[in-house]
Amino acid sequence: MMELPDDLPVIERQAVRVVVHDSDGRVLLFRTRDATAPEFGDWWELPGGGIETNETYLEAALRELREETGIVAVANQVGPPSWRRTATFRYRHGRRLQHEVVVRVALAGPGPTVDEAERLDYEKEDHFDFQWWTVADIVASDQRFYPGRLPALLASFLDGQQIDEPFELWS
């Protein structure tokens, strides 16, 4: 693993990211910014967040999906944690070191509009838009994504390949 920048206090945590895949073959991404660091601009990222104490990745994926999007999924819609990664990034005057698993949630129908009712205030500030993307549009885009290699790895992930991504210094 690369060395962490010694620039800010580090919060290390386990996290889960969710590739929400609808029946039209589209993936849900949030347009995101760090309100405390406008110099970073904005980017598109997968829903997800920290795994709480005594919570499994599956429980966290279902909770985060519900809280961030209003989408209520059940356990049999969640695929295995076949994409594993560790990344670090600056976030709200700190540095996160996240050990992440990425799972797929397969929706039976087209992707719904995001419901923000259960979002926390900082999530409403950070995630200021959403969009359902085709895989081809993600691959062809010149936008910035988190995970950074999402355009390169998404199709393989959706095809069921095991991905053990190298350490990512995102910001």
Side-chain angles (χ1 to χ4, degrees):
M1 184 169 84
M2 292 176 57
E3 272 192 48
L4 288 180
D6 187 19
D7 54 355
L8 296 164
V10 174
I11 297 171
E12 186 170 5
R13 68 183 191 162
Q14 302 294 318
V16 63
R17 293 285 170 179
V18 182
V19 175
V20 186
H21 196 230
D22 77 357
S23 62
D24 294 333
R26 300 174 304 164
V27 172
L28 177 63
L29 297 176
F30 287 127
R31 193 165 190 186
T32 305
R33 65 177 165 230
D34 180 344
T36 67
E39 66 274 16
F40 290 160
D42 59 69
W43 59 92
W44 293 93
E45 75 179 30
L46 295 171
I51 299 172
E52 296 176 359
T53 304
N54 298 321
E55 188 176 46
T56 67
Y57 78 85
L58 177 60
E59 292 165 336
L62 294 171
R63 176 185 52 77
E64 287 287 346
L65 185 61
R66 186 192 73 248
E67 289 175 358
E68 291 187 349
T69 70
I71 296 171
V72 177
V74 294
N76 68 359
Q77 290 175 275
V78 181
S82 58
W83 182 353
R84 296 182 180 278
R85 62 192 311 275
T86 295
T88 187
F89 53 89
R90 290 177 50 187
Y91 180 68
R92 292 191 175 255
H93 308 294
R95 174 161 294 286
R96 292 282 171 91
L97 174 61
Q98 290 199 160
H99 307 286
E100 297 178 345
V101 294
V102 182
V103 299
R104 176 183 176 189
V105 170
L107 300 182
T113 299
V114 167
D115 177 354
E116 295 184 284
E118 288 193 54
R119 276 203 202 162
L120 301 172
D121 287 342
Y122 74 89
E123 290 172 327
K124 290 177 182 175
E125 189 174 49
D126 292 347
H127 305 308
F128 63 96
D129 195 10
F130 75 93
Q131 182 174 317
W132 288 93
W133 293 67
T134 66
V135 174
D137 286 344
I138 292 170
V139 170
S141 177
D142 62 356
Q143 298 288 306
R144 190 169 181 216
F145 294 93
Y146 183 88
R149 296 190 64 223
L150 183 68
L153 298 175
L154 182 58
S156 296
F157 172 75
L158 291 172
D159 284 343
Q161 292 183 26
Q162 181 75 32
I163 299 170
D164 291 305
E165 187 179 350
F167 179 76
E168 180 180 20
L169 174 60
W170 198 80
S171 66

